[in-house]
Amino acid sequence: MSPRIALSPVPEPPYDGEKFPSQAPQTAGSLALDTPPLVWGPPGALPDERGLRHLGQALAEVLSGRRPPRSVADRLTERAYRDLVRAGRMIHTSHPPFAGGVRVTEPRDGAIEMCVLIHCGRRTHVLAVRLERHGRQWLCTDFETA
């Protein structure tokens, strides 16, 4: 007899006032954030494109309900994390999101803004993310999607 495989429900962000479950985040089928947090290198250095694309991918997975928000909490400021939890599911798709090309601008020293194309089957979304240097680490301070 072969083992039976069952799908788990898509995790939803907690409502205001709810506590997080104590279990580890379920990220099956999602891109694992195997890269270390985005760390500031020598003066003038920006995070590498691969790290930025992985962050965009993880945020798209959260915004499509395929990844719990707490799995990216160490890469966001407290305010941005609260906004992410409050946003809930903003990308509605039956296909897993896929982060495409990344465009980066540097409006000032210590701040970057990136735009990532998120492919979701026939539909494409745009994810805009602002990151600022906090000590040696780059943290997401704001995001927007359309």
Side-chain angles (χ1 to χ4, degrees):
M1 177 181 239
S2 62
R4 185 174 177 180
I5 298 174
L7 298 176
S8 62
V10 175
E12 295 292 328
Y15 294 102
D16 292 342
E18 271 189 338
K19 297 193 184 284
F20 290 109
S22 60
Q23 66 186 22
Q26 300 294 316
T27 57
S30 299
L31 171 74
L33 286 176
D34 59 352
T35 57
L38 301 171
V39 176
W40 181 262
L46 299 176
D48 69 334
E49 185 177 334
R50 180 175 175 238
L52 292 173
R53 187 181 351 263
H54 282 192
L55 177 61
Q57 176 73 35
L59 288 172
E61 290 171 359
V62 171
L63 293 169
S64 67
R66 296 178 180 271
R67 172 189 288 271
R70 68 182 175 277
S71 67
V72 295
D74 64 335
R75 294 157 197 268
L76 286 80
T77 60
E78 288 182 33
R79 185 183 65 79
Y81 179 73
R82 280 193 312 269
D83 291 346
L84 183 65
V85 170
R86 192 174 303 123
R89 191 170 181 182
M90 294 179 72
I91 298 176
H92 300 280
T93 178
S94 59
H95 299 287
F98 173 76
V102 176
R103 302 261 185 194
V104 180
T105 61
E106 188 177 9
R108 66 170 174 81
D109 187 39
I112 60 173
E113 294 175 348
M114 73 170 181
C115 181
V116 185
L117 287 177
I118 306 296
H119 304 283
C120 302
R122 293 182 180 160
R123 178 118 192 241
T124 300
H125 294 268
V126 177
L127 177 62
V129 180
R130 181 178 176 94
L131 295 111
E132 294 181 6
R133 183 176 51 138
H134 288 258
R136 290 185 38 122
Q137 187 176 353
W138 288 94
L139 295 176
C140 171
T141 59
D142 202 5
F143 66 92
E144 192 173 310
T145 188

